[in-house]
């Protein structure tokens, strides 16, 4: 078992997994426990959807994509150091590489044992319709949060936008990476104050439309 696998699991799971790996095969029960533990971390690794390193070659990138990559690299380095937390927003058209970069940031944080929560906003809204807005609000306390595809929801009443805006207001001063296909006017429609905060307090917005 490698550290690349261990960093994909919460602390308690890592301790349990290490204990199981050291348990001798002196009983059928021990062998079954070990097999179950191995399958657990294999499944967790599959869930990460880690991209291949060769997908991040920067040579020859057009200026807009290069700016996004450099901003993502700076965010990763800062989150792994002792810098003051800030938000990074990657805004741009579909297919420009925002989500790929966000996965790359999360992968590097996890490799360094830095907890990082990944949320697809459209899927979270669907979940919130069943479980209530508390599942969105619970994200306010995560150490590092990636919000992929912000604004990708259908909500005629505006409750989803309000829930995300309230959660993000509580995350001021916390590491947050946002990807979005929404232009400024679309974000303003969700919450006018939110558009301003994407650049406030050292926050960075990279716009590639």
């Amino acid at each position: 078992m490698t550290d690349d696998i261990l960093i994909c699991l919460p602390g308690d799971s890592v301790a349990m997994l290490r204990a199981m790996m050291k348990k001798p095969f002196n009983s059928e029960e021990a062998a079954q426990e070990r097999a179950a533990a191995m399958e657990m971390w294999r499944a967790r690794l599959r869930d990460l959807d880690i991209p291949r390193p060769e997908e991040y070659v920067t040579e020859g990138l057009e200026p807009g994509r290069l700016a996004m990559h450099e901003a993502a690299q700076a965010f990763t380095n800062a989150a792994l150091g002792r810098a003051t937390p800030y938000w990074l927003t990657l805004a741009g058209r579909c297919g420009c590489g925002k989500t790929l970069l966000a996965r790359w940031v999360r992968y590097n944080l996890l490799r360094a044992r830095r907890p990082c929560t990944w949320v697809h906003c459209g899927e979270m809204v669907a979940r919130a319709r069943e479980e209530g807005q508390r599942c969105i609000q619970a994200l306010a306390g995560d150490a590092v949060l990636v919000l992929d595809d912000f604004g990708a929801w259908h909500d005629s009443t505006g409750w989803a936008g309000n829930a995300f805006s309230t959660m993000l207001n509580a995350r001021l001063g916390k590491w947050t990476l946002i990807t979005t296909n929404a232009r400024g006017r679309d974000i303003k429609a969700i919450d006018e104050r939110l558009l301003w905060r994407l650049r406030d307090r050292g926050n960075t917005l990279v716009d590639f439309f």
Side-chain angles (χ1 to χ4, degrees), residues 1-207:
M1 182 172 50
T2 68
D3 283 345
D4 283 358
I5 304 301
L6 286 177
I7 50 85
C8 302
L9 295 166
D12 291 344
S13 298
V14 170
M16 180 187 70
L17 213 50
R18 286 193 185 280
M20 287 183 176
M21 293 302 103
K22 294 177 181 178
K23 186 175 282 190
F25 283 100
N26 55 6
S27 70
E28 182 178 351
E29 180 182 357
Q32 290 175 348
E33 287 182 357
R34 184 183 176 99
M38 297 287 283
E39 179 54 34
M40 180 178 67
W41 62 254
R42 286 194 184 103
R44 186 66 185 89
L45 184 61
R46 288 194 296 269
D47 289 345
L48 279 176
D49 193 18
I50 297 172
R52 297 187 301 274
E54 58 267 25
E55 294 184 83
Y56 295 101
V57 176
T58 59
E59 184 177 355
L61 282 181
E62 57 188 292
R65 284 195 173 91
L66 183 59
M68 286 201 305
H69 185 96
E70 290 175 344
Q73 181 68 71
F75 181 89
T76 304
N77 293 341
L80 292 177
R82 297 184 178 181
T84 301
Y86 66 94
W87 297 0
L88 170 62
T89 302
L90 303 177
R93 61 182 182 271
C94 293
C96 69
K98 305 180 301 295
T99 296
L100 194 65
L101 277 172
R103 287 176 179 165
W104 176 77
V105 170
R106 181 172 183 249
Y107 175 60
N108 281 284
L109 292 176
L110 290 173
R111 281 184 61 87
R113 292 176 170 78
R114 187 79 160 90
C116 179
T117 301
W118 178 282
V119 172
H120 184 277
C121 293
E123 294 174 359
M124 179 57 71
V125 168
R127 177 181 167 187
R129 287 195 174 102
E130 297 179 359
E131 302 178 12
Q133 294 184 10
R134 285 179 296 179
C135 63
I136 296 177
Q137 296 164 357
L139 300 171
D142 290 344
V144 184
L145 176 66
V146 178
L147 292 175
D148 185 41
D149 219 0
F150 184 81
W153 55 73
H154 300 286
D155 175 23
S156 58
T157 64
W159 69 266
N162 290 334
F164 272 105
S165 296
T166 300
M167 181 272 292
L168 282 169
N169 287 338
R171 288 197 61 81
L172 288 172
K174 296 180 181 178
W175 296 109
T176 308
L177 173 56
I178 301 168
T179 75
T180 182
N181 299 331
R183 294 176 180 268
R185 61 177 178 271
D186 300 319
I187 297 174
K188 185 177 180 179
I190 296 172
D191 188 327
E192 185 172 356
R193 294 167 300 174
L194 179 60
L195 178 60
W196 175 72
R197 284 172 178 153
L198 295 181
R199 295 185 186 274
D200 185 36
R201 303 189 186 188
N203 295 338
T204 300
L205 170 64
V206 180
D207 193 333

